[in-house]
Amino acid sequence: DSGVTQTPKHLITATGQRVTLRCSPRSGDLSVYWYQQSLDQGLQFLIQYYNGEERAKGNILERFSAQQFPDLHSELNLSSLELGDSALYFCASSVDGTSGGPDSYEQYFGPGTRLTVT
Amino acid sequence: AQTVTQSQPEMSVQEAETVTLSCTYDTSESDYYLFWYKQPPSRQMILVIRQEAYKQQNATENRFSVNFQKAAKSFSLKISDSQLGDAAMYFCAYGSNYQLIWGAGTKLIIKP
């Protein structure tokens, strides 16, 4: 158990809908990362938050948005869902994201949310 | 831009044997971090091992060890005494600009 929690575990929804995925980082971790993994594919980095502020953006669609709250949990919002958005969405956390030391890079992953768009 | 290449899409090994997974990366930086992550069929991403570029000594974690060749920009993972539970996708990652850059993964099959 990495200490990172994600809810829900599974989500089935229809095209055009909007969903929210939730992540709680490990205790003490300030950085949260969101990744998308389609079937049999590698990890696509979406976005990173550090202590409530957006730190870096990857290949995140405009239909997707995220935020990190004062208690450090994070939510990923996916709207106008398409069939191609079906994937496993991971949240990861690290101690920090700014020091440049190993704690900035060593990421611990949650179990993922499996999103199915029908 | 930094890139990470895992040239072996799939590898197989006999149980109890040793297997080496390859990873190369491209960078102009001198100080960085490298990681191997494992993703078993459960799809959970698990950190296997970390290597700091400034350390000459290769990292080891029980049956897992790395062969870090900084000049060659190579970071291979050796798994000794392979076990059925080692069957998984293995991803190599390079730490840069506070992000991890990921390889495409190598699927490891363990033959009983």
Side-chain angles (χ1 to χ4, degrees), chain B residues 5 20-26 32 34 36 51 58 66-77 92:
Chain B
T5 302
T20 298
L21 309 183
S22 301
C23 174
T24 59
Y25 56 94
D26 184 28
Y32 48 86
L34 296 161
W36 279 98
Q51 175 75 44
N58 289 326
V66 301
N67 183 7
F68 174 49
Q69 301 288 329
K70 192 172 184 180
K73 297 177 185 175
S74 171
F75 180 60
S76 59
L77 176 69
C92 174

Side-chain angles (χ1 to χ4, degrees), chain A residues 5-38:
Chain A
T5 61
Q6 289 186 248
T7 56
K9 282 189 167 55
H10 301 279
L11 200 48
I12 301 174
T13 189
T15 54
Q17 295 298 305
R18 173 189 168 96
V19 297
T20 297
L21 313 183
R22 183 187 168 103
C23 167
S24 291
R26 292 187 316 163
S27 177
D29 284 1
L30 298 177
S31 259
V32 169
Y33 308 78
W34 285 99
Y35 292 91
Q36 179 192 58
Q37 186 180 38
S38 301

Side-chain angles (χ1 to χ4, degrees), chain A residues 37 45 48 55 106-107, chain B residues 37 39 44 50 98-99:
Chain A
Q37 186 180 38
F45 168 66
Q48 177 203 0
R55 183 76 174 82
E106 193 164 297
Q107 296 180 16
Chain B
Y37 281 81
Q39 187 177 39
Q44 172 76 51
R50 180 184 86 197
Y98 312 110
Q99 305 301 312

Side-chain angles (χ1 to χ4, degrees), chain B residues 50-102:
Chain B
R50 180 184 86 197
Q51 175 75 44
E52 292 89 338
Y54 61 84
K55 289 187 178 178
Q56 292 188 346
Q57 186 173 7
N58 289 326
T60 62
E61 287 287 342
N62 301 313
R63 297 181 297 106
F64 297 87
S65 61
V66 301
N67 183 7
F68 174 49
Q69 301 288 329
K70 192 172 184 180
K73 297 177 185 175
S74 171
F75 180 60
S76 59
L77 176 69
K78 185 172 86 170
I79 306 174
S80 304
D81 185 26
S82 298
Q83 300 176 359
L84 294 177
D86 295 333
M89 282 290 289
Y90 285 82
F91 293 95
C92 174
Y94 167 93
S96 169
N97 293 326
Y98 312 110
Q99 305 301 312
L100 289 182
I101 300 167
W102 297 85

Side-chain angles (χ1 to χ4, degrees), chain A residues 1 4 10-11 22 33 49-50 53 64 73 77-78 89 91 96 99 104-105 117:
Chain A
D1 184 357
V4 180
H10 301 279
L11 200 48
R22 183 187 168 103
Y33 308 78
Y49 278 82
Y50 172 74
E53 294 192 3
F64 296 0
H73 91 271
N77 300 297
L78 314 176
Y89 289 85
C91 167
D96 71 40
S99 71
S104 291
Y105 294 102
V117 183

